[in-house]
Amino acid sequence: MLWQVSFWILAALIVLPFPFKVFEYLSGKDKSPLIVKVEEMANAMFMALGLVAFHGFISGTVYLTPAFWKGWLFIAIAWSVFPIFWSPKLAFAADVMGKNKMRIVAGVTCILYLPLLLAVSIYAF
């Protein structure tokens, strides 16, 4: 039950905002630099792909190969650690909301993604 709740929370956080962000980009309402938009979209699409493995883990369905998901997991972990050193999105967020609030939001986001990473790791191995 907890896995399903985690899956649906992450699905809502990753998938639901996507069309609204695209609309904001196209309409010019989002004033963030292009590099931030690229990072946001790439991250959303990449993590949405991880939801496929998360669903496969919950339902017992095989999607793609374990080698694919191991590769995805390796990239996801690296992608999660790399922003500690460099991230246009986090730099922009720090300018907008301040460093302390940005760190809190980034920390909460990392915690929210833990069930996804754990599920994919179990699913891949």
Side-chain angles (χ1 to χ4, degrees):
M1 176 74 174
L2 190 59
W3 288 113
Q4 288 89 353
V5 171
S6 296
F7 171 82
W8 287 110
I9 289 171
L10 284 169
L13 290 172
I14 295 170
V15 177
L16 289 179
F18 193 81
F20 298 102
K21 288 303 281 182
V22 171
F23 173 75
E24 287 178 354
Y25 294 161
L26 295 176
S27 67
K29 290 183 179 181
D30 188 311
K31 302 297 183 195
S32 62
L34 179 62
I35 189 74
V36 172
K37 293 171 183 161
V38 169
E39 183 182 352
E40 279 185 332
M41 287 294 106
N43 189 39
M45 289 186 286
F46 185 76
M47 290 302 179
L49 179 61
L51 289 173
V52 173
F54 199 165
H55 182 268
F57 169 72
I58 292 169
S59 67
T61 307
V62 176
Y63 299 113
L64 303 172
T65 65
F68 177 86
W69 295 116
K70 288 175 187 174
W72 182 93
L73 185 62
F74 175 78
I75 294 168
I77 291 170
W79 201 328
S80 298
V81 171
F82 188 68
I84 293 170
F85 306 104
W86 181 78
S87 171
K89 181 178 178 179
L90 292 182
F92 181 73
D95 288 342
V96 172
M97 67 173 79
K99 242 182 193 176
N100 289 336
K101 286 182 184 177
M102 180 276 300
R103 287 179 179 157
I104 292 169
V105 170
V108 169
T109 302
C110 287
I111 291 168
L112 287 173
Y113 279 116
L114 282 177
L116 173 66
L117 297 174
L118 181 61
V120 174
S121 67
I122 294 168
Y123 185 68
F125 292 94

